[in-house]
Amino acid sequence: MRIALDAMGGDAAPKPNIEGAISALQADPALCVTLVGPQDQIEAEIEASGYQGDRLSVSHASQVVGMEEKPTEAMRQKPDSSISICWKLMAAREVDAIVSAGNTGAVVASGLKTRLFLKSVKRPGIAVTLPTTAGHAVLMDVGANPSARPSHLYQYAVMGEIYAREVLHIESPKIGLINIGSEDVKGNDLYRETFQLLNESPLKDSFVGNVEGRGLYQGEADVLICEGFVGNVVLKVSEGMADFLMQAASKHILGSLDVERNQAKQAFQDLGKRFRYHETGGAPLLGIDGICIICHGSSDAHSISNALRGSAMFKDRGINSQIAEHLAQKPVS
């Protein structure tokens, strides 16, 4: 499994990326990682780490896209960025996957520019895994496509259903459409038309209808579909609320304990792992003819290692071939 890792992506790059790559290589002998970025800087970091092996290589990129830069401008002004080079390597089939903790918009924009889509896919979308009272659920799209059409959301349902089954091991995933009410007529034209499309599609037996925001974490559906604007807001609010509740609850409870304080602290840390992006590594950009994992900008070495190893699992499960096969059976306009 060959993976291009954007060594310059993330808030603390390149150190956590290089450490994460080395950790993944040590854990999986089938992985080969190409670090993309300024060659001299990366090679110096590798040398300082003490790692020696032929499964870690460097591909030079002279430019870096900052986290605050506008994606379209960055792609136009920085054709030799580490993000662009990663996509070029995958387009040339020199790697099977790319992983980046860099500017999410730039990663998506570069992928759209490359047009490396699976057959029949209209617009790729980002899928994230959310914890629920029933286990986990897939939320898609969380930012790749803020101007979606009903046909795009239908395809996200297809992709999300396959991802939930193969990655989350949910045998028969239930699909829900995020909306402002549970009634069939709720929402704007996009959501009403998507509701009808899903209700008349091969997914109709899995479609449970509209799911309100309060139902996301109650396990009302295993696959939650929306356009990128709504999905990104849901994701960011969820991250912020999870952090707030964990801090507030732990401070209140730990402050009232004496003997059991250490046990309670460990319990909060274990619970927090369910909400930490470090544990899942990153979110896949589904619909790509290849594999693209987008990591959080503050990802540490542990998160990067998990993303790299998750890429191999994605390939082993044959997710892309299943998506292409299903969409070929039911093309939508």
Side-chain angles (χ1 to χ4, degrees), residues 16-217:
N17 296 321
I18 295 172
E19 290 177 349
I22 293 172
S23 175
L25 291 173
Q26 292 171 337
D28 189 345
L31 286 185
C32 293
V33 177
T34 297
L35 295 167
V36 182
Q39 187 165 359
D40 291 345
Q41 182 179 357
I42 294 173
E43 289 180 344
E45 289 281 352
I46 296 173
E47 184 177 357
S49 74
Y51 176 81
Q52 293 182 340
D54 57 2
R55 292 185 291 126
L56 186 64
S57 59
V58 179
S59 181
H60 180 66
S62 63
Q63 298 171 312
V64 176
V65 176
M67 301 296 280
E68 75 291 344
E69 292 188 60
K70 293 183 178 179
T72 53
E73 291 183 8
M75 290 299 95
R76 184 173 61 253
Q77 297 171 2
K78 297 181 176 180
D80 197 47
S81 70
S82 55
I83 291 174
S84 294
I85 298 302
C86 282
W87 279 103
K88 289 177 182 178
L89 289 172
M90 190 158 71
R93 302 305 179 188
E94 295 182 30
V95 298
D96 306 298
I98 61 176
V99 172
S100 177
N103 184 311
T104 297
V107 175
V108 173
S110 188
L112 296 180
K113 181 180 179 181
T114 306
R115 298 295 297 179
L116 198 64
F117 298 176
L118 288 171
K119 186 176 181 181
S120 299
V121 168
K122 295 179 177 294
R123 286 292 297 269
I126 304 173
V128 298
T129 301
L130 299 177
T132 72
T133 56
H136 289 89
V138 177
L139 172 64
M140 183 176 183
D141 167 47
V142 297
N145 186 11
S147 302
R149 300 175 181 177
S151 59
H152 300 165
L153 297 191
Y154 167 75
Q155 292 194 341
Y156 294 162
V158 170
M159 297 182 203
E161 190 265 348
I162 292 170
Y163 188 78
R165 187 174 64 246
E166 295 298 332
V167 177
L168 303 185
H169 308 293
I170 302 172
E171 187 174 348
S172 300
K174 298 178 295 182
I175 300 168
L177 184 65
I178 294 180
N179 209 328
I180 58 173
S182 60
E183 298 85 357
D184 299 3
V185 296
K186 288 290 187 176
N188 56 22
D189 289 344
L190 170 64
Y191 286 89
R192 287 194 296 270
E193 291 174 23
T194 301
F195 186 101
Q196 183 176 354
L197 182 57
L198 285 167
N199 219 25
E200 297 172 353
S201 76
L203 297 175
K204 61 183 179 182
D205 292 336
S206 302
F207 181 49
V208 297
N210 293 325
V211 175
E212 294 182 82
R214 62 190 174 192
L216 265 64
Y217 294 97

Side-chain angles (χ1 to χ4, degrees), residues 219-235:
E220 292 185 12
D222 306 302
V223 180
L224 299 151
I225 302 304
C226 60
E227 105 280 0
F229 184 91
V230 169
N232 193 266
V233 171
V234 168
L235 178 63

Side-chain angles (χ1 to χ4, degrees), residues 162-322:
I162 292 170
Y163 188 78
R165 187 174 64 246
E166 295 298 332
V167 177
L168 303 185
H169 308 293
I170 302 172
E171 187 174 348
S172 300
K174 298 178 295 182
I175 300 168
L177 184 65
I178 294 180
N179 209 328
I180 58 173
S182 60
E183 298 85 357
D184 299 3
V185 296
K186 288 290 187 176
N188 56 22
D189 289 344
L190 170 64
Y191 286 89
R192 287 194 296 270
E193 291 174 23
T194 301
F195 186 101
Q196 183 176 354
L197 182 57
L198 285 167
N199 219 25
E200 297 172 353
S201 76
L203 297 175
K204 61 183 179 182
D205 292 336
S206 302
F207 181 49
V208 297
N210 293 325
V211 175
E212 294 182 82
R214 62 190 174 192
L216 265 64
Y217 294 97
Q218 302 305 313
E220 292 185 12
D222 306 302
V223 180
L224 299 151
I225 302 304
C226 60
E227 105 280 0
F229 184 91
V230 169
N232 193 266
V233 171
V234 168
L235 178 63
K236 297 298 174 60
V237 168
S238 298
E239 289 178 340
M241 181 60 72
D243 286 343
F244 166 73
L245 289 177
M246 291 299 295
Q247 291 175 20
S250 61
K251 181 178 179 180
H252 178 74
I253 294 174
L254 293 178
S256 63
L257 294 177
D258 184 16
V259 179
E260 297 96 351
R261 178 174 295 182
N262 289 336
Q263 294 94 319
K265 183 177 181 180
Q266 183 61 51
F268 272 106
Q269 290 175 346
D270 293 341
L271 178 61
K273 287 183 178 181
R274 294 190 65 203
F275 300 94
R276 291 177 67 222
Y277 50 83
H278 300 294
E279 298 303 317
T280 56
L285 180 62
L286 297 180
I288 293 296
D289 187 8
I291 301 167
C292 173
I293 304 295
I294 301 174
C295 304
H296 200 287
S298 58
S299 294
D300 58 14
H302 180 63
S303 178
I304 296 298
S305 178
N306 282 346
L308 292 167
R309 295 165 65 188
S311 299
M313 180 272 297
F314 190 104
K315 182 180 180 182
D316 292 341
R317 297 284 182 180
I319 293 173
N320 280 347
S321 60
Q322 292 187 57

